[in-house]
Amino acid sequence: MSEQTTTGQLAASSRDSEPHLSRSLSNRHIQLLAIGGAIGTGLFMGSGKTISVAGPSVIFVYMIIGFMLFFVMRAMGQLLLSNLNYKSFSDFAGDLLGPWAGFFTGWTYWFCWVVTGVADVIAIAGYANELWPGIPLWIPGMATILILLLLNLPTVKAFGETEFWFALIKIVAIVALIVVGLVMIFTGFQSDAGAATFANLWQHGGFFPKEFMGFVAGFQIAVFAFVGIELVGTAAAETKNPEHNLPRAINAIPVRVMLFYVGALIILMSVTPWTEFKAGHSPFIAMFSLAGLGIAATVVNLVVLTSAMSSANSGIYSTSRMVFGLANDGDAPKVFGRLSSRKVPQNALFLSCVLLLAGVVLLYAGKDVGAAFDMVTTVSAVCFMFVWSIILASYLVYRKRRPEQHAASPYKMPGGIAMVWVVFAFFGFLVWALTTQPDTLTALLVTPIWFAILGVAYAVVRKSPLHQARVAEWKAMSDGETAAVAAKR
């Protein structure tokens, strides 16, 4: 028997014996998961710093980022629906770009969410200290990790239900902020900072009070607010009726960005001039406190706490699924490819929760909670940009190698190939923006260490029999496609 035949049989048997995730997430779960992913800690906690450095121009910052990432999501949606065997975007990256891309994308996305989860643990500890002054920071940090583990160990449907309510709380909080803010504006509410009026948007130096470089600085921080927008891509393997539910979730993104990000920011800066905002302080809590709604401010603090918990919960979910997929591709230890009796990758869950303990350590390593939060969010944003770029690169190869499949797709990416290059140019601008400030430049320079570690790891993993079997499987699929195209010509 030839080596190629043996490898092919191993690939087939590994695919047949692979444990399968359960398609238990309904339309309401996937819709709220998409919203929860798009509204993260970056909006509730990070927007104070974004406003302070960019002024009212931050409105355009969020609109531009949301517009660009919509095309990343549409490209991801088209690719996931082109083959329902894809469990996540690391699968189509491996198939279209090569096994290295699946390995690098999967592990980088896992790293992104671990880092984001660490940022969320830091944020939760900070909020808990606001609610209960003097509480040791390690207590809310450890409690968060334990709660996340307990929320994710039951069935995936239990996770979907939990995230549904987490996201709903965030939506209610933002809608309440917009409604209360509008009442304050139309009733001419007065505070030490002056009257609440839409004129506050342009009366304190105009829309670009810090000129172009202040506008650029806003992108550095705001991009972190959008991490998790691609979360529906990791839930693809556990989504009921993905052909219907995934497009609905992705298509609603522009509306969500306009309402939840742009709408909330316009209200915040109309009630209080942008000059009053400070880094490390949630503008949401500040606005309700300003309105004299002391109890409401406390409730919003709890809501913001819930938002950070929701983001961390989503991160734990996505990292465990990504490691599960990597294990079944031979790119992670086999122990992480096992499912519990309830179809949950519990070993991968334990791994992610253990690594979140780094957040508890960082609480005592930095100057303050805000400094620790800023330190990890920049690294996370850079790695997320890499993942988004891989999604777009996969789309380019898909268009070249599978033109017939693209032509038959009912869910095409608007703008096509030209729009991909526009988004790539925008990512280049974001990388340049990160070089303009000392703290973000440091994080940018440190990030390549992660890719060097991955390069060494891949050099070892690529020799494993299961990984080679997957490579043979992808090559056979690619050769089949090439032969089919040649036959048609």
Side-chain angles (χ1 to χ4, degrees):
M1 188 179 292
S2 70
E3 183 181 346
Q4 187 175 1
T5 305
T6 305
T7 306
Q9 288 175 344
L10 180 56
S13 64
S14 69
R15 183 66 76 186
D16 292 339
S17 62
E18 180 180 305
H20 294 286
L21 296 165
S22 172
R23 287 194 181 273
S24 302
L25 296 177
S26 66
N27 178 53
R28 70 183 179 93
H29 290 141
I30 205 70
Q31 290 291 331
L32 270 291
L33 189 64
I35 295 174
I39 309 169
T41 320
L43 176 63
F44 285 106
M45 188 172 182
S47 55
K49 182 177 180 181
T50 319
I51 294 169
S52 69
V53 300
S57 67
V58 72
I59 295 167
F60 304 112
V61 169
Y62 279 89
M63 288 175 69
I64 292 168
I65 297 174
F67 175 77
M68 293 296 179
L69 291 184
F70 171 67
F71 293 97
V72 177
M73 293 294 294
R74 283 296 300 256
M76 181 186 74
Q78 183 175 349
L79 291 173
L80 285 172
L81 294 176
S82 71
N83 183 349
L84 293 182
N85 288 321
Y86 291 145
K87 295 185 292 297
S88 69
F89 40 82
S90 72
D91 282 352
F92 66 63
D95 183 17
L96 293 164
L97 300 177
W100 69 270
F103 180 86
F104 273 73
T105 305
W107 277 115
T108 300
Y109 192 68
W110 170 85
F111 178 69
C112 284
W113 268 114
V114 168
V115 171
T116 303
V118 167
D120 289 325
V121 168
I122 291 168
I124 289 166
Y127 291 133
N129 193 51
E130 292 278 337
L131 286 167
W132 302 283
I135 187 173
L137 294 177
W138 67 268
I139 293 177
M142 293 295 290
T144 299
I145 296 167
L146 182 61
I147 291 169
L148 291 174
L149 186 60
L150 295 175
L151 287 175
N152 279 272
L153 274 177
T155 61
V156 66
K157 190 174 181 181
F159 159 79
E161 203 64 38
T162 304
E163 195 54 34
F164 173 85
W165 290 105
F166 271 161
L168 202 59
I169 290 169
K170 287 193 275 191
I171 292 167
V172 170
I174 294 175
V175 171
L177 174 121
I178 292 172
V179 171
V180 171
L182 285 172
V183 170
M184 294 169 76
I185 292 166
F186 289 120
T187 57
F189 177 85
Q190 291 283 341
S191 69
D192 293 339
T197 168
F198 286 118
N200 279 330
L201 292 171
W202 59 82
Q203 281 185 345
H204 299 270
F207 276 101
F208 295 86
K210 299 216 174 172
E211 300 178 339
F212 180 68
M213 290 313 295
F215 179 60
V216 168
F219 283 93
Q220 303 167 341
I221 312 150
V223 71
F224 178 73
F226 287 87
V227 303
I229 201 169
E230 71 303 303
L231 193 61
V232 289
T234 59
E238 294 173 286
T239 304
K240 292 178 182 176
N241 193 8
E243 298 97 330
H244 174 73
N245 292 334
L246 280 178
R248 283 190 64 185
I250 292 170
N251 290 343
I253 285 171
V255 177
R256 288 170 187 147
V257 169
M258 288 302 293
L259 175 63
F260 299 126
Y261 283 90
V262 178
L265 290 169
I266 287 174
I267 295 297
L268 286 168
M269 289 184 288
S270 296
V271 171
T272 307
W274 71 269
T275 51
E276 301 294 314
F277 291 91
K278 296 176 183 176
H281 296 276
S282 172
F284 286 76
I285 297 168
M287 199 195 86
F288 281 103
S289 298
L290 189 67
L293 303 172
I295 294 175
T298 302
V299 170
V300 173
N301 213 326
L302 285 168
V303 168
V304 176
L305 191 69
T306 304
S307 170
M309 183 72 82
S310 166
S311 177
N313 189 41
S314 299
I316 289 295
Y317 168 83
S318 56
T319 52
S320 61
R321 270 58 182 179
M322 197 59 78
V323 171
F324 168 78
L326 287 164
N328 283 308
D329 283 343
D331 291 340
K334 281 183 70 175
V335 68
F336 298 124
R338 296 173 189 162
L339 293 176
S340 68
S341 59
R342 299 184 179 192
K343 302 292 184 182
V344 172
Q346 62 183 23
N347 292 339
L349 268 174
F350 284 125
L351 173 68
S352 299
C353 285
V354 166
L355 289 169
L356 286 188
L357 292 172
V360 179
V361 175
L362 273 175
L363 285 169
Y364 295 94
K367 292 178 288 184
D368 54 38
V369 171
F373 183 80
D374 292 342
M375 179 166 49
V376 294
T377 53
T378 305
V379 174
S380 175
V382 173
C383 289
F384 269 105
M385 273 195 282
F386 169 80
V387 172
W388 296 333
S389 298
I390 287 288
I391 291 171
L392 293 176
S394 299
Y395 174 82
L396 290 177
V397 173
Y398 165 80
R399 286 292 302 270
K400 184 177 180 181
R401 278 181 30 193
R402 303 175 185 173
E404 292 84 2
Q405 200 172 9
H406 166 72
S409 174
Y411 190 63
K412 295 184 178 70
M413 173 191 164
I417 293 171
M419 201 60 220
V420 169
W421 290 108
V422 171
V423 180
F424 273 141
F426 174 67
F427 287 166
F429 163 75
L430 288 180
V431 171
W432 169 76
L434 291 170
T435 66
T436 62
Q437 297 294 323
D439 53 346
T440 52
L441 176 60
T442 302
L444 187 65
L445 294 174
V446 167
T447 306
I449 296 173
W450 166 251
F451 294 103
I453 293 169
L454 278 187
V456 173
Y458 183 66
V460 175
V461 165
R462 64 186 297 186
K463 298 175 183 176
S464 73
L466 183 54
H467 179 85
Q468 290 179 347
R470 285 289 195 245
V471 173
E473 188 177 5
W474 279 325
K475 188 175 186 302
M477 288 170 60
S478 178
D479 290 346
E481 289 160 13
T482 305
V485 171
K488 286 184 179 180
R489 288 175 180 170

